[in-house]
Amino acid sequence: MANKKSPMGGFSEALFCTAAAVLLIILHTVVCFLTDVNPLISGSFICALYIAFVAAFFVIRRNILSSKKISPMPEALNVLSDAVVNLPRPVVICPAESDRIIWYNKTAWDLFGKKNASFSEIFSTLEDR
């Protein structure tokens, strides 16, 4: 069975949230100890700061994960297929268990001249060059 991450996150996300909470609790304790700020007001501010940190973390995480889902494969396949189509050598593609040609490039078309022919038919009619 494939190991899939849950949409709510894993260990690293829980570790980040816990570390942020501990740091903000320490910050709140230091602020309350060193100043005459009302603990309720500073606590509310620290809670809002914690919520902002966690929300920013998950938004950044979601953006990173969604950007990883977009792969450059279509562009690479387009470049590769263009190169194969324009090769000066004939290229044919046949299934492993058959001699039926399922794809060929322009050079193969110029050389073979037939559509819907099998691999063995084409090569039996070719002259030695």
Side-chain angles (χ1 to χ4, degrees):
M1 179 185 285
N3 185 15
K4 295 183 179 179
K5 273 193 157 187
S6 71
M8 294 304 293
F11 178 75
S12 62
E13 289 83 1
L15 184 64
F16 170 79
C17 293
T18 303
V22 169
L23 287 173
L24 290 174
I25 288 171
I26 292 170
L27 177 66
H28 182 253
T29 304
V30 169
V31 167
C32 288
F33 182 74
L34 296 177
T35 65
D36 293 332
V37 175
N38 184 346
L40 184 61
I41 294 172
S42 64
S44 299
F45 177 75
I46 294 294
C47 285
L49 197 59
Y50 175 74
I51 291 169
F53 278 151
V54 171
F57 175 78
F58 281 105
V59 166
I60 291 169
R61 178 179 168 269
R62 184 189 68 208
N63 290 342
I64 290 171
L65 290 177
S66 67
S67 70
K68 287 182 181 179
K69 290 180 184 176
I70 301 170
S71 75
M73 280 306 284
E75 292 84 10
L77 288 176
N78 286 339
V79 169
L80 181 62
S81 66
D82 288 345
V84 171
V85 166
N86 296 318
L87 272 176
R89 304 274 182 205
V91 176
V92 295
I93 297 177
C94 300
E97 304 299 324
S98 170
D99 70 341
R100 181 176 52 91
I101 295 175
I102 59 173
W103 184 88
Y104 48 87
N105 68 351
K106 293 176 186 175
T107 309
W109 169 252
D110 294 339
L111 184 64
F112 306 146
K114 288 186 188 179
K115 281 189 172 179
N116 299 328
S118 68
F119 192 72
S120 58
E121 288 174 16
I122 289 173
F123 282 97
S124 66
T125 61
L126 285 179
E127 303 170 5
D128 287 333
R129 294 185 184 198

